[in-house]
Amino acid sequence: MKVAILGLGSVGRGVVSMLAKKDLGIVVTGIADSRGGVMDPAGLDLQAVLEQKAKTGFCGDPSIRGEDIVKNGDYDVLVEVTPTDIRTGEPALTSIRTALSRRKHVVTSNKGPLALHYTELMHLAAENSVQLRYEATVCGAIPIIQTLQHGLAGNEVRAVYGILNGTCNYILTRMADEGLTYDQALAEAREMGYAEADPTFDVKGIDTALKLVILANTIWKNGITLRDVDCTGIDLLTAEALTLAGSQNCTIRLIGEVIPGRKLLRVSPRILPKKHPLVVRDTLNAVTVVTDMAGAITQVGKGAGSVETASAVIGDLLFIRDCHVKGD
Amino acid sequence: MKIEVKDAPGQLVAALKPISEAGGNIIAVIHEWDPTLRSKTRIVQVVLDIPEDRVDGLVESLTSRGVSILRMGEERLLMKRSVIMIGHLMHTDLSDTVDQIDCTGFAEVVEIHMTMPGIAQRSSALLTVSATNAAHMETAMEILRAVAKKKDLLLVEPMEESI
């Protein structure tokens, strides 16, 4: 199976290095970042591409652009792992549309296009008889989309709720453990590389809300968008609030929840007993799915990280290879 | 609760069985003998501890077995929920916030723990609200949400036990 990869940031490098290391029978015919690209229909030397990227910051020839690879490249699956833009979804949105229209499967880690245009993109994929898979958009290494689409197939999903943002979870863990103020914990999260220079996206709950939108659309295909989410972040929490919760043997976590029966789509800091299955530490994610037949299922795992997110991307790739490309 | 059971062997045990089946913990059983009744029934007072959301099921189960429930005690459905409020709690009239719950008649604030780190800084308080049943508790929470919105306070609610 031939694959083209757009984006060579943390996730892209994770995917490329794992594909280089593991013999999965996947041939990478094109790779591009924002500054250039490399193409070879016979297959690229992945280790060489990674070395060049590490040494020069470029992944290849500046005259080869990502869009050239998307439009003209020889591939079965486009792996789209560029940074997300939640306002427009671009340039990923155009790349995904183009690939799907060319009857190419797409695997993406990009939340923007999925949260903004879920219904349109899934229709486009169906029209062209190809797969659009996006496991890496929600909860990193946790196979939550696969679980919802296949593992729990036939179940009625009554609710999904969980900790979907590792940065917020790290900040809250540190505030509860060490009595740090919000600002101190945020500064520490930045030092550790968990929080961006502008942490708004994470701490205001927007990242969690985007993931909720994707989860809700995955299950109910109801075309909801970010505007439908009632969203409160963690930036106004105080160290004293964590202490007060602690006095009740509880703690505070940022919870995203979708409960269709109550038309509820909410991100908010919540009080949970310390022994609650969702109370995970540091940057871990945890998500509970409540269904009619299987009851409640909670999955815990790493929500981010280069190789962890690559795990989700590669899982999607192999799913496509096994179920949709083999024997074509 | 006070229940009426047939005065026949095995009836009391049969009446108590649904309580344990519903996950209730029987704390005391007081067998009342009222000679004036002269009926073929006995009045039994049962003190039990049962999760609030299972009470309706228990009532149904008892009724379907022919047990009459004469009275449910005052402690029935008395539930508590603690929330945390963050913001300028005193400057936005904390007693008014509390009053809005208390004046409902079905819910009240029974406990407040508050920390005020500095005059200009936001304070944090743990408020425990008591209500007569789940619907009333939800109404009390709605009042708190509205007050928090109006007064620009952050309300942190507990994760619900069951969905």
Side-chain angles (χ1 to χ4, degrees):
Chain A
M1 187 171 77
K2 290 179 178 177
V3 167
I5 299 171
L6 276 195
L8 206 53
S10 169
V11 179
R13 289 199 301 275
V15 172
V16 173
S17 64
M18 285 302 119
L19 289 179
K21 198 170 160 189
K22 291 169 181 269
D23 182 18
L24 300 172
I26 289 170
V27 178
V28 180
T29 57
I31 301 178
D33 60 13
S34 56
R35 298 196 277 183
V38 277
M39 275 207 278
D40 184 347
L44 295 163
D45 178 345
L46 299 180
Q47 212 54 55
V49 174
L50 286 173
E51 278 165 22
Q52 163 146 354
K53 172 81 178 175
K55 211 190 293 175
T56 65
F58 290 85
C59 99
D61 182 349
S63 69
I64 298 176
R65 299 171 58 82
E67 57 193 81
D68 302 328
I69 295 180
V70 177
K71 274 186 203 162
N72 309 312
D74 177 17
Y75 59 89
D76 301 301
V77 189
L78 177 71
V79 173
E80 201 292 320
V81 288
T82 64
T84 203
D85 178 325
I86 60 156
R87 279 182 315 105
T88 65
E90 295 293 1
L93 182 59
T94 301
S95 306
I96 295 171
R97 280 183 181 141
T98 308
L100 293 176
S101 301
R102 284 189 67 199
R103 295 180 167 263
K104 307 293 184 190
H105 303 283
V106 174
V107 172
T108 185
S109 63
N110 206 315
K111 292 184 277 289
L114 264 299
L116 292 167
H117 300 280
Y118 184 89
T119 312
E120 179 220 315
L121 292 174
M122 294 316 280
H123 280 159
L124 187 60
E127 272 170 26
N128 289 286
S129 308
V130 285
Q131 288 279 304
L132 167 57
R133 302 202 62 82
Y134 49 92
E135 186 68 77
T137 58
V138 184
C139 292
I142 302 174
I144 182 68
I145 306 290
Q146 184 76 14
T147 301
L148 289 168
Q149 289 180 333
H150 304 286
L152 292 171
N155 274 271
E156 177 201 333
V157 178
R158 293 186 173 155
V160 180
Y161 50 95
I163 291 168
L164 313 177
N165 182 278
T167 306
C168 290
N169 209 56
Y170 181 82
I171 291 171
L172 294 175
T173 307
R174 295 297 293 160
M175 286 174 79
D177 284 2
E178 306 294 333
L180 300 180
T181 65
Y182 166 77
D183 289 329
Q184 288 167 337
L186 173 62
E188 196 185 270
R190 277 203 185 109
E191 268 174 39
M192 301 287 288
Y194 301 143
E196 304 282 332
D198 176 6
T200 314
F201 189 59
D202 290 318
V203 299
K204 290 277 187 195
I206 304 162
D207 177 65
T208 302
L210 279 177
K211 292 167 181 167
L212 269 193
V213 167
I214 296 172
L215 286 175
N217 279 311
T218 300
I219 305 160
W220 298 287
K221 298 173 178 62
N222 48 1
I224 64 144
T225 67
L226 203 52
R227 281 190 298 278
D228 302 310
V229 184
D230 176 8
C231 188
T232 307
I234 62 160
D235 52 327
L236 292 174
L237 285 178
T238 57
E240 294 81 19
L242 269 299
T243 308
L244 285 168
S247 71
Q248 306 276 305
N249 220 14
C250 289
T251 191
I252 298 175
R253 289 290 188 264
L254 186 70
I255 301 289
E257 56 187 327
V258 195
I259 307 172
R262 293 186 214 160
K263 292 190 165 50
L264 196 145
L265 200 62
R266 177 168 60 183
V267 176
S268 58
R270 304 292 279 278
I271 304 167
L272 287 92
K274 283 179 181 167
K275 287 185 178 167
H276 194 285
L278 286 184
V279 178
V280 292
R281 294 182 53 78
D282 300 327
T283 58
L284 282 179
N285 282 193
V287 61
T288 299
V289 182
V290 184
T291 70
D292 61 339
M293 292 192 284
I297 290 174
T298 300
Q299 294 180 314
V300 175
K302 289 184 178 169
S306 178
V307 173
E308 291 82 356
T309 311
S311 158
V313 171
I314 289 172
D316 276 348
L317 274 177
L318 297 184
F319 179 85
I320 290 172
R321 184 196 66 188
D322 295 345
C323 301
H324 299 278
V325 173
K326 212 183 229 177
D328 272 9
Chain B
M1 63 167 70
K2 221 173 217 187
I3 56 174
E4 189 177 25
V5 294
K6 283 179 195 151
D7 189 10
Q11 288 303 302
L12 179 60
V13 174
L16 295 180
K17 210 175 160 197
I19 298 174
S20 45
E21 281 172 359
N25 178 29
I26 298 169
I27 297 163
V29 178
I30 304 153
H31 211 157
E32 291 177 20
W33 171 242
D34 185 351
T36 62
L37 275 176
R38 279 193 219 152
S39 68
K40 290 185 175 172
T41 59
R42 288 282 177 97
I43 307 295
V44 179
Q45 196 177 332
V46 185
V47 181
L48 68 145
D49 181 13
I50 186 167
E52 188 270 334
D53 58 354
R54 294 183 198 163
V55 171
D56 290 343
L58 173 62
V59 170
E60 268 175 40
S61 173
L62 285 171
T63 318
S64 71
R65 289 174 195 223
V67 178
S68 307
I69 298 168
L70 304 177
R71 190 167 65 82
M72 300 287 276
E74 280 180 13
E75 293 290 312
R76 181 178 185 259
L77 303 178
L78 191 69
M79 61 186 300
K80 282 184 180 178
R81 190 178 290 178
S82 294
V83 299
I84 292 174
M85 286 189 115
I86 302 168
H88 295 291
L89 301 171
M90 296 304 282
H91 300 171
T92 55
D93 197 351
L94 181 63
S95 36
D96 165 72
T97 306
V98 172
D99 278 350
Q100 294 207 34
I101 300 295
D102 288 355
C103 74
T104 59
F106 54 72
E108 58 184 323
V109 176
V110 292
E111 214 174 315
I112 297 183
H113 292 278
M114 193 163 165
T115 50
M116 295 180 287
I119 191 104
Q121 286 175 279
R122 288 172 303 131
S123 32
S124 310
L126 183 89
L127 273 75
T128 303
V129 178
S130 187
T132 44
N133 63 33
H136 286 158
M137 179 61 83
E138 187 48 35
T139 309
M141 288 297 132
E142 276 167 21
I143 293 170
L144 274 183
R145 282 175 208 136
V147 171
K149 202 171 181 184
K150 192 175 162 200
K151 296 184 175 180
D152 200 19
L153 306 172
L154 173 61
L155 178 69
V156 184
E157 294 181 51
M159 189 79 202
E160 285 163 61
E161 291 299 314
S162 58
I163 289 171

